[in-house]
Amino acid sequence: MRVGLIINNGECGRWESFKVVDGKAYTLDNTLYNGPTSQDGIDGVLFRNIWNRPFMGTGGYFIKHSNNMPDVDLDVIFIVYETVGNPTPFVDSIRSKYPKAKIIGTTKEAIPGLDKKPVTNLQKLFSLCDSAAIQFNEEICAKLTDTMGIKIHSLPVPYNLEYMREKYKTNSVENTLQNNRYIVAGSASWDPERGYDNCLDIANYLGEKYGYEVVKNYDNKSWHEWLELINNASFVINTDTQHRLGQVTIESIALGTPHLGGLSDTIKTVIPTYATNSKSEIESIFIDILENGYPDNYYYSKLEERYNFRILNKKLKGLL
């Protein structure tokens, strides 16, 4: 199964089209590719969010939509069109170029689980596709199915968790809890509605009371540096108020670092008891981990069940 990802050209930023060869990303002129910045990819293998879709199946492609899309045989294509406007010409051009491929509408930046976000534009796109699948959980998809009148499937974005864990996990949980003694706090780049002030308040409270240094995240590190930071942290406090994918949640669980708080899709599905933004509840979880330990391998196995390539490839085939 050869999988493609095609995104409307204006929504790709500085990303270049790339192909996947033997599990690594290369530009179409065969240069190893890690995305446009140091925060986007590692070793041509690790990527974030939707950029992992082309790694599904074998020999996939990410293609910027244009008049010069490559001549390749694709079995299924995930397409993204989140611009306000008529998606019909976009979809028709893809069907004309790749007539044998099944077309699956999906999302990149749009977060349909947020009540304030309209779904009209997504509904237009999805109605033109053979199927629709987004990375959010079954509950969100069921609500969208009712709202749109179109079946929306839950298909998480796969992650190369094994590679991430093998490359970056160098500490035991016991060592980081007792010896490293610092807490990483959320992301200062959040917009105010996402609650960074609350996140920092909780992190500072726990740090002062229990003797941990608090490290703020200003989004100024390369992804490599960020993963090293999480690996060495004792805790990550991440009380994002929005139901997003949960990139930091994925990274923390993959590296065996307790991630407390937030309402991300990942925390709700993998460790639902940690999905809270209450200071008192987070402190209770914090204390429990200090006293009773953190079941790293158990939560990592649950993460694998949700984001494993093999499992999600099988699920994708079931949609075709």
Side-chain angles (χ1 to χ4, degrees):
M1 176 178 61
R2 179 173 282 180
V3 176
L5 169 66
I6 299 180
I7 299 177
N8 183 36
N9 194 40
E11 300 172 48
C12 296
R14 294 188 288 120
W15 282 82
E16 300 178 31
S17 296
F18 67 80
K19 59 186 177 181
V20 179
V21 180
D22 296 329
K24 290 188 175 184
Y26 295 86
T27 59
L28 301 189
D29 61 2
N30 298 314
T31 301
L32 187 69
Y33 189 58
N34 283 309
T37 78
S38 62
Q39 294 187 341
D40 295 310
I42 296 171
D43 299 341
V45 174
L46 288 180
F47 288 86
R48 288 170 160 159
N49 209 322
I50 197 170
W51 307 106
N52 285 301
R53 290 290 192 205
F55 288 82
M56 300 183 77
T58 56
Y61 279 77
F62 160 63
I63 299 169
K64 291 182 73 168
H65 185 257
S66 70
N67 294 325
N68 299 304
M69 294 185 287
D71 296 322
V72 293
D73 291 325
L74 298 171
D75 298 302
V76 57
I77 304 173
F78 291 94
I79 66 171
V80 175
Y81 186 95
E82 295 176 340
T83 302
V84 175
N86 181 11
T88 301
F90 171 74
V91 178
D92 286 350
S93 66
I94 294 171
R95 288 199 184 277
S96 176
K97 180 68 178 181
Y98 305 105
K100 297 180 181 179
K102 295 291 185 181
I103 306 297
I104 298 180
T106 192
T107 59
K108 175 177 173 280
E109 302 295 337
I111 308 171
L114 298 181
D115 293 337
K116 295 179 181 179
K117 298 288 185 178
V119 297
T120 307
N121 294 324
L122 289 177
Q123 188 172 15
K124 290 179 182 177
L125 174 68
F126 292 169
S127 68
L128 298 170
C129 299
D130 298 311
S131 185
I134 62 174
Q135 61 267 43
F136 297 98
N137 65 41
E138 288 75 7
E139 181 182 356
I140 294 292
C141 291
K143 290 180 180 178
L144 283 174
T145 295
D146 290 341
T147 300
M148 294 186 182
I150 300 169
K151 176 63 179 176
I152 310 297
H153 299 274
S154 173
L155 187 69
V157 175
Y159 274 75
N160 196 332
L161 298 171
E162 183 178 358
Y163 190 90
M164 183 186 294
R165 192 168 170 93
E166 288 183 354
K167 183 177 179 71
Y168 289 100
K169 181 174 169 53
T170 60
N171 280 305
S172 67
V173 176
E174 293 76 17
N175 181 58
T176 56
L177 288 177
Q178 300 303 325
N179 298 323
N180 292 2
R181 303 191 70 80
Y182 68 82
I183 298 169
V184 174
S187 174
S189 67
W190 293 347
D191 62 64
E193 290 185 355
R194 294 176 67 182
Y196 183 67
D197 288 346
N198 180 56
C199 179
L200 192 56
D201 175 66
I202 294 173
N204 284 332
Y205 167 77
L206 294 173
E208 291 172 8
K209 186 172 182 178
Y210 297 97
Y212 287 80
E213 177 187 357
V214 174
V215 179
K216 299 179 184 179
N217 169 25
Y218 294 107
D219 281 352
N220 59 351
K221 298 181 181 297
S222 69
W223 195 16
H224 170 79
E225 293 169 333
W226 171 245
L227 292 176
E228 288 186 326
L229 177 67
I230 289 182
N231 170 63
N232 288 310
S234 305
F235 294 90
V236 172
I237 305 297
N238 184 23
T239 57
D240 193 342
T241 61
Q242 296 181 351
H243 190 136
R244 294 172 177 261
L245 170 66
Q247 174 68 35
V248 176
T249 319
I250 291 172
E251 295 162 344
S252 301
I253 299 172
L255 299 181
T257 300
H259 177 288
L260 311 187
L263 304 174
S264 73
D265 205 73
T266 302
I267 201 70
K268 283 187 169 184
T269 54
V270 178
I271 317 180
T273 54
Y274 288 12
T276 176
N277 289 337
S278 161
K279 179 188 286 189
S280 61
E281 291 177 357
I282 289 175
E283 183 176 16
S284 294
I285 299 168
F286 186 94
I287 293 171
D288 181 70
I289 292 172
L290 290 180
E291 293 179 348
N292 301 307
Y294 171 79
D296 168 29
N297 291 329
Y298 172 71
Y299 288 137
Y300 176 72
S301 68
K302 291 188 66 178
L303 190 74
E304 270 273 302
E305 289 173 5
R306 184 159 184 82
Y307 295 111
N308 177 278
F309 272 95
R310 178 183 55 80
I311 292 172
L312 292 172
N313 281 336
K314 183 177 180 180
K315 191 171 183 178
L316 173 57
K317 289 179 180 178
L319 301 183
L320 304 182

